[in-house]
Amino acid sequence: MSSTPTQHRSSPYLQLVIVLMGTFMAVLDTSVVNVAIPKMEVALNTNTSDIQWVLTGYMLVTGVIVPTSGWLIDTLGPKRLFLFALVVFTAGSALCGLAWNLPSIIFFRILQGIGGGLLQPVAQTVIYRTFPPQRIGSIMGVFGITIMGAPAFGPLISGYFVEYSSWRWIFFVNVPIGIVALLLAIPYMDDLPTSSSFKLDVWGLTFSTIGFFSLLYGFNNVPDHGWGSTQVRVALAIGVVALLLFVITELRAERPLLQLRLLTTYTYTMSLIVVSILSVALFVGIFLMPLYLQNIRGYSALRTGLFVTPGALVSALVMPISGRLFDKIGARPLGLLGIGILAVSTYAFTFLTTDSTGAHIQLLYIVRSLAMGIAMMPIMTAGTTAVVSKNPMLAGQAAALTNTIRNVASGLGTAVMTVYMTKRETIREAQLASQYDPGSPRTLQLSQATAHYLAQGMSQTQAHAQAMLQITDNLQANAFVLGMNDTFMVSTLLAIAAWIVVLFIYPIGQSPQRRSSNPRVSPAMD
């Protein structure tokens, strides 16, 4: 089949703006709620464990709906599915802002997640079927701004509304954007052709829903209950069995729900491995840095958001540049450069202390964001383009499979890294506590603190208790930072592993231009 892009009645760049508006909102809502959770807990009269379902519900339904996006795109067409997803997401956002109790907001977040889970794969499909192969790198660089920038801007936006207005506005802010995108999409988005019959792979849908829901549910509960809990083990066991049945079903189906045979495309598979590793590495920075800033440095939610914003801006600035470079030199050199910088900057984070300066931390965070901006989108684009250049009608399936694997990798990475950090923090705290031997510097520090409080007029008992409280707080803070450093070390090793994998994407010393003189073949084609 020819890879010539569809002839368009509307400007492809206007269509790009429309799908980016939807994607930005969907990705933003994966992180914007985190900062508002304490306020929502009080306002909705619930507890911490239950309010977490506001986050979990969105994540689970997104993970379940994404595998169906390829079939839905092929069946309904990108435009109709985009309009449906946009309406559902915007309505869900408005209803979340109006929620009156915990069950209502969980239900509305699930509704919001159905729309949000479909918006990103639809956007990727529109891009690949609207723009010519020689422009894909630049366009995906712009698309990458939403993927990398939205999670970083989430805490800033949420922090502002929580501090100066109401948590409800983190949902209401989506409504005008969604309405504008909808009004633009109806007349200006092209109706791209579809390639599927309306026959649904029912068994594939059943096994994928059970499998991905159970797997993500299990991963999500690991930080709270541990790998050994019955709840986690049962969920993961059901998920693994269901996914095995799903794989068997999809490989036998004539029209599978998720086209697993795309994994036979070498460059696509290699890119998925790298992107999955980078998704875990990205989580470490986005998750740990706000904890460090708020728990150790005492930053407010808004100040934390302002702190990480420059990194998001740098990533947003670099994405289009790396996209243009991808069109000229391919993904491999950019991947090696970006992931190399990522490994070095992540390793530098392993030396943080409770006294590290804000300027030093922010510089490292900016460099890390720069590295992600250089590497992430070119690698992802290389894989998808390798599939689409063979058959443009596979764009929806490629986007669905990519986002599905990323969701599972992120869920697993989140669980493993969170549990690892918690265990390392406990080990480090025990190591620090063991240093309080007679005559040790730590014991001397306790004596000095006790003397300080005695000088303020406290009794011996009060002074000793206050000194112990101070020492315990310091010990826990140092244990937290050391545990975080250990986790950053694991992230460094993951970055090194990703760098090695990138070496195998292209033969050494061969640029995409020299590999093919056919202008219809993507520069990233394997």
Side-chain angles (χ1 to χ4, degrees):
M1 181 177 292
S2 171
S3 61
T4 304
T6 305
Q7 294 298 316
H8 305 287
R9 294 176 285 110
S10 303
S11 166
Y13 295 98
L14 177 57
Q15 296 183 69
L16 175 65
V17 171
I18 294 169
V19 297
L20 288 185
M21 291 170 69
T23 303
F24 185 85
M25 291 190 300
V27 178
L28 182 71
D29 269 57
T30 61
S31 65
V32 75
V33 176
N34 299 49
V35 175
I37 284 294
K39 292 282 188 181
M40 295 170 67
E41 181 181 341
V42 175
L44 299 174
N45 192 28
T46 184
N47 55 57
T48 303
S49 60
D50 289 340
I51 196 67
Q52 291 299 319
W53 277 99
V54 174
L55 301 172
T56 305
Y58 187 89
M59 182 272 292
L60 290 178
V61 75
T62 299
V64 169
I65 200 70
V66 166
T68 69
S69 61
W71 178 82
L72 288 170
I73 289 168
D74 289 340
T75 303
L76 302 177
K79 178 177 179 177
R80 277 181 286 182
L81 186 58
F82 181 80
L83 293 176
F84 168 78
L86 200 58
V87 168
V88 171
F89 181 84
T90 304
S93 297
L95 291 170
C96 283
L98 296 172
W100 55 91
N101 58 20
L102 182 66
S104 67
I105 196 168
I106 291 175
F107 177 77
F108 296 145
R109 276 286 280 177
I110 290 173
L111 184 66
Q112 191 189 37
I114 293 173
L118 294 171
L119 285 171
Q120 185 175 330
V122 173
Q124 290 176 252
T125 303
V126 170
I127 289 172
Y128 274 97
R129 292 180 59 184
T130 300
F131 291 91
Q134 59 270 23
R135 293 282 298 147
I136 286 296
S138 300
I139 301 304
M140 286 300 289
V142 176
F143 176 75
I145 296 173
T146 64
I147 305 301
M148 300 293 290
F153 283 117
L156 174 62
I157 295 171
S158 182
Y160 177 83
F161 284 130
V162 168
E163 193 160 327
Y164 293 109
S165 183
S166 167
W167 61 267
R168 297 181 183 274
W169 277 99
I170 67 177
F171 300 111
F172 286 145
V173 73
N174 291 325
V175 177
I177 301 174
I179 292 173
V180 170
L182 189 65
L183 293 176
L184 289 173
I186 293 172
Y188 294 116
M189 278 189 70
D190 289 336
D191 283 308
L192 299 174
T194 60
S195 64
S196 174
S197 67
F198 282 84
K199 184 178 180 182
L200 176 64
D201 176 14
V202 177
W203 284 111
L205 177 62
T206 302
F207 289 135
S208 72
T209 300
I210 296 173
F212 289 116
F213 180 89
S214 300
L215 210 60
L216 292 171
Y217 177 81
F219 290 153
N220 189 72
N221 280 280
V222 169
D224 293 328
H225 302 286
W227 291 102
S229 74
T230 302
Q231 184 177 354
V232 169
R233 287 184 173 182
V234 170
L236 293 181
I238 293 173
V240 169
V241 171
L243 287 184
L244 286 174
L245 294 173
F246 172 69
V247 170
I248 294 171
T249 301
E250 297 307 275
L251 292 177
R252 292 180 175 180
E254 183 179 350
R255 282 194 173 276
L257 182 74
L258 205 60
Q259 188 57 264
L260 300 180
R261 289 187 178 87
L262 296 181
L263 295 173
T264 60
T265 302
Y266 175 78
T267 297
Y268 180 70
T269 301
M270 299 301 282
S271 75
L272 281 183
I273 294 172
V274 176
V275 168
S276 297
I277 295 173
L278 291 182
S279 296
V280 177
L282 177 65
F283 155 78
V284 173
I286 291 177
F287 176 72
L288 293 184
M289 194 47 52
L291 288 177
Y292 174 83
L293 293 173
Q294 294 182 53
N295 295 344
I296 304 302
R297 305 303 298 268
Y299 283 18
S300 67
L302 179 58
R303 189 179 178 188
T304 299
L306 290 171
F307 186 94
V308 301
T309 297
L313 293 175
V314 167
S315 183
L317 179 64
V318 170
M319 280 283 188
I321 298 173
S322 64
R324 281 180 175 269
L325 290 173
F326 169 84
D327 289 330
K328 297 183 183 205
I329 64 175
R332 185 174 175 274
L334 293 170
L336 293 175
L337 174 63
I339 298 175
I341 296 173
L342 176 68
V344 173
S345 58
T346 303
Y347 180 69
F349 268 114
T350 64
F351 297 99
L352 290 184
T353 68
T354 55
D355 299 320
S356 296
T357 65
H360 172 70
I361 299 168
Q362 192 166 52
L363 176 62
L364 291 179
Y365 192 82
I366 289 172
V367 171
R368 203 168 184 272
S369 300
L370 170 73
M372 283 287 187
I374 293 173
M376 178 72 88
M377 198 50 61
I379 296 296
M380 186 186 301
T381 305
T384 306
T385 307
V387 171
V388 175
S389 60
K390 296 177 181 178
N391 183 353
M393 301 303 288
L394 291 175
Q397 286 286 348
L401 186 56
T402 298
N403 286 287
T404 298
I405 291 177
R406 277 181 53 214
N407 279 341
V408 173
S410 297
L412 176 60
T414 300
V416 171
M417 288 298 200
T418 303
V419 171
Y420 179 78
M421 180 182 166
T422 302
K423 288 188 175 181
R424 291 305 302 171
E425 183 181 355
T426 302
I427 292 171
R428 291 292 197 171
E429 187 172 349
Q431 291 174 343
L432 292 175
S434 68
Q435 297 176 14
Y436 284 92
D437 297 323
S440 70
R442 297 284 183 181
T443 305
L444 179 61
Q445 184 182 6
L446 176 60
S447 300
Q448 290 173 341
T450 303
H452 170 75
Y453 289 115
L454 284 171
Q456 292 183 353
M458 292 185 181
S459 67
Q460 179 68 36
T461 302
Q462 291 174 328
H464 182 75
Q466 191 64 32
M468 282 298 298
L469 181 62
Q470 176 186 324
I471 295 299
T472 300
D473 288 343
N474 290 339
L475 185 148
Q476 290 175 342
N478 280 286
F480 175 87
V481 174
L482 290 173
M484 187 178 73
N485 292 348
D486 293 340
T487 309
F488 272 117
M489 178 58 74
V490 174
S491 184
T492 302
L493 297 176
L494 287 175
I496 293 172
W499 191 90
I500 293 172
V501 175
V502 172
L503 288 172
F504 296 95
I505 289 184
Y506 292 123
I508 294 175
Q510 227 176 346
S511 68
Q513 283 78 6
R514 289 194 292 271
R515 299 189 70 200
S516 175
S517 58
N518 184 355
R520 290 189 183 275
V521 177
S522 164
M525 177 64 183
D526 174 47

